[in-house]
Amino acid sequence: MRRLIELTDWVPLDLTVDWESIERELQLPLPADYKELFEAFGGGVFCESVFFLARSDALSFDLLAQWRASVAAEEEGDPYPVYSPGGKGVIEWAATEWADQYCWLVDAERPGEFSILARGDVGEWHRYDMSTSEFLYRVLADKEFKPFGVAEYGLDPTFQPGRSVDGS
């Protein structure tokens, strides 16, 4: 996470977050490094193209609001269904303006295991066994991180928060 803060020259927000409430609704503990990212950045946009979901007045940056909408709109036939409490599936935590999705593959019976699944606009899933912050850093800073890296486009390494941020 420190590398992301340094990359974006960001001053951490140090948000206070009601993790108990969020994790109770999901019936699943979230990754520790994601919690640190959430508390430092809140919801918003990295490099003008990667939309990070946390908590925000702007529903488009709110992890729980987006997850609830995904559960309601789930389509049959996807190899990785949307996670429902107590089950297994994916929870989206970021997306890009190019329709890439960055998700965790979770199983309520195996809490603490959070493989990352990423899918581009053509629908092929790629699995990564790394932390949320490592994956996000590679997306933003590693020009060789194919097919999901954005560093090759020469975008400014910035973070723009979604409207006002609320960690409650």
Side-chain angles (χ1 to χ4, degrees), residues 17-164:
V17 179
D18 181 0
W19 291 115
E20 184 178 320
S21 172
I22 292 169
E23 293 174 337
R24 183 175 45 248
E25 181 172 349
L26 292 170
Q27 295 180 20
L28 185 79
L30 291 171
D33 72 315
Y34 168 77
K35 292 177 185 181
E36 291 176 10
L37 288 167
F38 185 126
E39 292 169 357
F41 290 95
V45 183
F46 287 96
C47 297
E48 300 178 7
S49 60
V50 178
F51 301 89
F52 180 71
L53 303 179
R55 191 64 165 237
S56 172
D57 288 343
L59 291 178
S60 59
F61 297 112
D62 190 292
L63 177 81
L64 286 178
Q66 292 299 314
W67 171 72
R68 289 180 201 120
S70 295
V71 169
E74 183 171 13
E75 297 178 18
E76 292 293 320
D78 197 328
Y80 297 103
V82 174
Y83 169 80
S84 58
K88 55 178 114 177
V90 296
I91 299 174
E92 184 176 347
W93 56 268
T96 70
E97 67 175 286
W98 304 286
D100 294 344
Q101 293 175 282
Y102 306 146
C103 305
W104 298 297
L105 177 60
V106 297
D107 181 342
E109 293 182 14
R110 299 171 78 171
E113 292 183 24
F114 294 94
S115 291
I116 292 179
L117 288 178
R119 174 167 62 176
D121 63 350
V122 294
E124 184 178 332
W125 288 101
H126 299 264
R127 184 178 179 143
Y128 299 90
D129 291 318
M130 62 179 67
S131 70
T132 305
S133 55
E134 177 67 20
F135 180 85
L136 184 56
Y137 179 80
R138 296 212 36 215
V139 164
L140 301 176
D142 184 349
K143 291 181 180 181
E144 304 302 317
F145 194 59
K146 308 281 184 185
F148 298 106
V150 300
E152 69 180 296
Y153 303 116
L155 303 170
D156 287 333
T158 59
F159 180 76
Q160 180 65 41
R163 291 190 290 232
S164 67

